[in-house]
Amino acid sequence: QAAAAEALANLAFQNSDTRKQMQTCDAGKAMVNLLHSENVDVHRAVLCALRAYAIEGKYAAELDQRGCLAPTFKLVLSDKQDVVARALRLLWAMSMADSIKGRIVKERDGKLLATVLGFIKTSQHNHPIKAAAMALVRTLATAEENRGELHKG
């Protein structure tokens, strides 16, 4: 599974045409299914693949329809710091689609957002987590309806 996820990541990083071919082959479904693996190496690889794929809004919407957000939200709470950073980067990429921004902010009645803001505020988290959390918060703040929620945290 980890090798398959790494191969998908390599494809997704290539270019827009490759991502289009991946969509035709239903690679999004396979990548979302890999999020449910128990293997941390699979998580690492598939989160990278999904972020590269989701950077284009139409693919983010496709991944959302396939149920990508729920397992990604869980991985934000992982005990593996690199998995947390990669999950935050995936949420950042998916939040480029306006329809997804509000769902991220409201997830678990705002508790996910509180967790993300906590990554920025506390000094115990490593730089990749802070950087990914800050990028996500900046993107979420581009939707006016989210600004009030972000200022509460």
Side-chain angles (χ1 to χ4, degrees), residues 86-137:
R86 291 172 193 214
L88 289 169
R89 286 186 205 115
L90 172 55
L91 291 176
W92 165 79
M94 291 188 71
S95 72
M96 298 295 177
D98 288 335
S99 62
I100 296 173
K101 284 181 176 82
R103 296 202 13 245
I104 293 172
V105 169
K106 293 178 178 106
E107 175 63 20
R108 297 186 189 131
D109 297 320
K111 290 182 180 139
L112 177 74
L113 179 60
T115 299
V116 173
L117 292 171
F119 291 147
I120 296 169
K121 292 178 182 177
T122 62
S123 61
Q124 66 187 13
H125 296 288
N126 68 12
H127 179 72
I129 290 175
K130 280 186 176 184
M134 289 173 66
L136 176 58
V137 169

Side-chain angles (χ1 to χ4, degrees), residues 1-79:
Q1 286 181 329
E6 286 179 28
L8 288 167
N10 289 334
L11 288 172
F13 274 108
Q14 286 185 12
N15 59 48
S16 181
D17 291 334
T18 303
R19 287 187 290 278
K20 187 175 183 177
Q21 290 175 347
M22 290 175 72
Q23 183 185 35
T24 302
C25 297
D26 216 13
K29 180 180 179 180
M31 290 187 289
V32 171
N33 287 340
L34 287 170
L35 283 175
H36 298 285
S37 171
E38 296 295 322
N39 185 309
V40 73
D41 291 326
V42 172
H43 292 156
R44 288 178 178 120
V46 78
L47 286 166
C48 286
L50 286 163
R51 182 183 57 86
Y53 188 73
I55 203 72
E56 293 182 49
K58 61 185 173 184
Y59 301 129
E62 173 200 342
L63 294 175
D64 182 29
Q65 290 172 353
R66 295 188 181 283
C68 185
L69 287 177
T72 304
F73 293 151
K74 289 179 185 173
L75 290 173
V76 167
L77 304 174
S78 171
D79 62 344

